[in-house]
Amino acid sequence: MGVPTTPAEAAPAYDDVFADHPVNGHPPSGSSRAYSAVPQDDVELQAHTHGEATPGSSIGPAESIAQTIAGVFRPKPHVHCDQCDVQLEARERRANEKHCCSMVALTFIAIALCLMILGIVVAKTKRH
């Protein structure tokens, strides 16, 4: 239960272990479109490196702890660029899709409630 005295050997890479496995030797059966790669075009997943300074790139006196803490609350200047437009459009598109889905859900909930009330009214009138 102590520290191992011999150094541990690194594990082999995943591709080295499973590339020559018999299951991976032939393509999957069924539709080839089901296994196609999905494009990753979400622009907000990309790093925000456009038009912004890197943390270590400023040349000047070192900040004190109070200045560093105050700098957290200070807005950082950013030059507007085309990449910002693409990110804003993607954000607005997702917000619009979310709003649309919410409205459809609320519509179906309202229809279900109206049908339930109508059913209660019809059942009470038939009973009397």
Side-chain angles (χ1 to χ4, degrees):
M1 291 293 188
V3 178
T5 56
T6 59
E9 187 176 324
Y14 180 84
D15 291 333
D16 294 341
V17 175
F18 294 104
D20 57 348
H21 195 274
V23 171
N24 297 327
H26 49 293
S29 62
S31 174
S32 62
R33 291 187 315 172
Y35 297 102
S36 63
V38 177
Q40 302 294 322
D41 59 351
D42 191 1
V43 293
E44 289 193 10
L45 292 178
Q46 299 172 2
H48 297 283
T49 58
H50 63 283
E52 296 179 2
T54 57
S57 65
S58 62
I59 301 173
E63 291 183 337
S64 69
I65 293 175
Q67 290 172 335
T68 303
I69 293 172
V72 171
F73 300 110
R74 190 176 321 129
K76 294 172 181 48
H78 176 72
V79 178
H80 191 72
C81 60
D82 292 335
Q83 187 68 20
C84 292
D85 289 337
V86 173
Q87 289 179 357
L88 287 173
E89 288 173 6
R91 190 175 295 131
E92 288 175 3
R93 186 175 57 246
R94 278 193 298 273
N96 289 339
E97 289 173 356
K98 183 178 178 182
H99 177 72
C100 182
C101 290
S102 299
M103 289 295 112
V104 169
L106 287 174
T107 301
F108 279 104
I109 290 171
I111 290 171
L113 287 174
C114 290
L115 289 174
M116 183 180 67
I117 292 171
L118 180 66
I120 291 171
V121 169
V122 168
K124 282 189 175 188
T125 56
K126 289 219 179 220
R127 192 170 58 161
H128 289 129

